[in-house]
Amino acid sequence: MHFADLAIHTIRDGLAKKTFSCRELISAHLARIEAVDATIHAFLQVTQEAALQQADVVDKKIAAGETLKSLDGVPVAIKDVLVTKGVPTTAASKILEGYVPPYTATAVERLYAAGAIMLGKTNCDEFAMGASGEHSAYGPTRNPWDTERVPGGSSSGSAAAVASGMSIAALGTDTGGSVRQPAGFCGVVGVKPTYGRVSRYGLIALASSLDQVGVLTRSVDDAAFVLQAISGQDAQDATSVDMPVPNPAALSASDLKGVRIGLPSEYFIEGMDPAVERLVRATADTFAAAGATTVDISLPHTEYGLAVYYIIQPAEASTNLARYDGIRFGKRVDAETLERVYHASRDAGFGAEPKRRIMLGTYALSAGYYDAYYRKAQKVRTLIRQDFADAFRSVDAILAPTSPGVPFRLGDNVQDPLTMYLADVFTVPANIAGIPGISIPCGWVGGLPVGAQLMGPMWSEERLLMIAAAAERALALPRRLPNPG
Amino acid sequence: MATIDLTEVRRVMQLCRLGLTNEEQRRMQEQLSKIVSYVEKLNAVPTGDVAETHQVTDQANVTRADDVQMQPPDVVAGLLTNVPEREGRAISVKTVLTK
């Protein structure tokens, strides 16, 4: 089985034509995990037996001549912030060690309903707080292209698992770039849908006005199939919206002729890696050669995006994380009084980054500071949304680097939170505005993958995926897999 | 640069129920001051009559009937299994009110 060539449509063909059985497909992925994950540490848990049992169910369907569903037999990995019934879910935090959810997140239920098979739960930054994967309480994930470097975060394990051939697809979550940035760092495709596109029922919340469940795959086509399966309104999540679901069938015929692509000057800035800038500009030239019209645009409030984000996100996180107090679930540390039980449990259970964000968010929301920080940020948020709305009057999509640099070395930014936060500078604006964004691989700098980000108007995923699929064909990068460990 | 002093760190710590060590408090003071100084760049943006964005999809008044929805027994059992200390179906906590 050649992992680099495996895609959702080739799996469907292979299973239907009995080139391989579903058990063989799943076993091959489990063997790949066995071979490389000791080095990469993408998985917190592998659900081997359940996966093989489900594979046998799919094989029986094939033997009985039943029609296969869109994702029948497709191996998927699930970020450990999405709850899975009967399978421990930790959010990569010690405070949830041993927690076994009694229900399954809607996005995961929908993958199951489409026939996908879960291989296991993936590592991430604790409570999805981080841009490197190093903030996991269970140890960092490594970048499969260079194991001395970070895979990005917070969906670190999901990106690394897909990049290294351990899974075909993975679910991640994106609050400020946590799907797109690791996708860029690992050389895979990462989709952050429009806010409200995918149900967040069963997602362990980070920042509720920003969080969205996203998809990581090795091709745009695969991402479209997975997104189709998980999209749509859900009565269990009042923020999910009833909008037509993107159709993967639209992708194959797409091209870039007549597509207007905006290049925002604020995303090509001093301080970013010049080689990354050159590569993303060359990507724009490739799009133009394929028939797109590239237009210089301005998103004037971009430089305030990160500041808005680092008020709103910790503020919302501090309220969401108030529920972890050692009483109803999770770690409890005994102490003399109830108050001290709370303090001791939270102190022992949370790592440094959640503590920092809880403190920051509580400070920003506390009496006397609310207007100066939170209310101010919510106003600038409006201006950032307006920037995008104005831009999308003249362009179909915006092209920008996913990150200002290539994957950094493990340990380089851990001691300096603000520098770590700057890794999200080009991804947070899409979350602030609620718009969809896709990171696609656009080439290599010094042997390390670089991602190009396409952003579109609210609910434009189908159009954006069509543009991304045409862009992927125009770039025609060779399909290959790293061989770590 | 905005400075958050140790008294402020301790006030916030109480509000969010964290028991930080002295060393953690010192580090937190330094890091929070740096981050807050950074976010204060927003003061340079004029926002006089700009409306606040609380959510981005313009959904309003998503409601449902106020009915009690009974959970299946396995969900209830699952929830109880996750409780760190309990007596039967009751969650045990330290005394809340003292004389």
Side-chain angles (χ1 to χ4, degrees), chain A residues 108-351:
Chain A
V108 180
E109 286 283 12
R110 287 181 174 174
L111 281 185
Y112 292 161
I117 296 177
M118 180 172 82
L119 296 172
K121 303 297 292 286
T122 51
N123 203 356
C124 55
D125 288 293
E126 187 174 352
F127 286 104
M129 295 175 176
S132 71
E134 293 166 290
H135 290 307
S136 167
Y138 302 98
T141 301
R142 290 170 182 273
N143 192 312
W145 296 102
D146 178 346
T147 55
E148 295 304 311
R149 291 176 188 267
V150 303
S154 67
S155 307
S156 48
S158 291
V162 170
S164 56
M166 291 189 268
S167 186
I168 291 291
L171 293 188
T173 56
D174 193 315
T175 305
S178 281
V179 164
R180 290 161 288 155
Q181 187 255 15
F185 274 15
C186 289
V188 298
V189 173
V191 180
K192 181 208 95 75
T194 304
Y195 182 86
R197 171 71 77 190
V198 181
S199 168
R200 298 175 304 165
Y201 179 65
L203 164 63
I204 295 173
L206 167 52
S208 299
S209 79
L210 303 163
D211 292 345
Q212 188 56 201
V213 177
V215 175
L216 297 110
T217 54
R218 290 196 293 273
S219 70
V220 176
D221 197 49
D222 283 1
F225 280 112
V226 179
L227 184 63
Q228 180 191 37
I230 64 173
S231 292
Q233 196 172 28
D234 173 18
Q236 305 276 28
D237 175 3
T239 63
S240 65
V241 180
D242 183 19
M243 291 293 282
V245 168
N247 181 4
L251 268 59
S252 56
S254 67
D255 68 39
L256 289 170
K257 286 195 185 73
V259 174
R260 296 162 304 165
I261 302 276
L263 296 169
S265 53
E266 293 83 2
Y267 285 69
F268 298 91
I269 51 173
E270 195 156 324
M272 69 182 291
D273 185 332
V276 170
E277 175 170 356
R278 278 196 298 275
L279 191 55
V280 177
R281 288 197 184 279
T283 302
D285 294 342
T286 307
F287 291 5
T293 307
T294 54
V295 188
D296 289 327
I297 60 166
S298 174
L299 297 163
H301 295 92
T302 300
E303 70 162 301
Y304 302 108
L306 203 65
V308 168
Y309 181 77
Y310 275 99
I311 293 171
I312 294 174
Q313 176 262 109
E316 294 181 2
S318 70
T319 57
N320 278 326
L321 270 59
R323 74 192 65 172
Y324 304 100
D325 57 7
I327 303 301
R328 289 158 301 149
F329 50 82
K331 185 192 274 296
R332 180 187 293 194
V333 176
D334 203 24
E336 294 138 44
T337 64
L338 183 60
E339 185 77 13
R340 287 196 183 163
V341 170
Y342 297 147
H343 285 235
S345 300
R346 288 165 67 78
D347 203 32
F350 287 131

Side-chain angles (χ1 to χ4, degrees), chain B residues 33-51:
Chain B
S33 296
K34 232 172 130 178
I35 298 164
V36 168
S37 296
Y38 176 80
V39 301
E40 281 182 346
K41 75 195 287 188
L42 294 186
N43 292 337
V45 188
T47 52
D49 54 356
V50 177

Side-chain angles (χ1 to χ4, degrees), chain A residues 85 99-100 195 238 240 303 327-329 332 334-335 346-347 355-356 366 369 373 375-376 378 382, chain B residues 8 11 16-17 19 24 31 36 40-42 45 47 51-53 57 59 74 82-84 92 94:
Chain A
K85 186 175 181 171
Y99 173 66
V100 183
Y195 182 86
S240 65
E303 70 162 301
I327 303 301
R328 289 158 301 149
F329 50 82
R332 180 187 293 194
D334 203 24
R346 288 165 67 78
D347 203 32
K355 283 179 185 169
R356 196 150 41 231
S366 67
Y369 296 106
Y373 295 111
R375 195 185 300 279
K376 182 76 180 181
Q378 297 283 60
T382 303
Chain B
E8 190 77 300
R11 179 185 75 95
C16 61
R17 289 175 163 161
E24 282 179 314
Q31 292 174 340
V36 168
E40 281 182 346
K41 75 195 287 188
L42 294 186
V45 188
T47 52
E52 295 162 42
T53 291
T57 54
Q59 294 248 90
D74 66 317
N82 281 302
V83 176
S92 311
K94 296 283 176 194

Side-chain angles (χ1 to χ4, degrees), chain A residues 359-379:
Chain A
M359 288 287 290
L360 185 59
T362 305
Y363 173 78
L365 291 176
S366 67
Y369 296 106
Y370 181 88
D371 284 349
Y373 295 111
Y374 194 70
R375 195 185 300 279
K376 182 76 180 181
Q378 297 283 60
K379 287 183 171 188

Side-chain angles (χ1 to χ4, degrees), chain A residues 5-15 20 69-72 74-76 168-169 215 217-219 221-227 479:
Chain A
D5 300 330
L6 276 179
I8 290 174
H9 74 275
T10 60
I11 287 175
R12 201 177 303 145
D13 282 356
L15 291 174
F20 47 80
K69 290 179 286 188
S70 69
L71 299 180
D72 256 328
V74 173
V76 296
I168 291 291
V215 175
T217 54
R218 290 196 293 273
S219 70
D221 197 49
D222 283 1
F225 280 112
V226 179
L227 184 63
R479 273 176 172 258

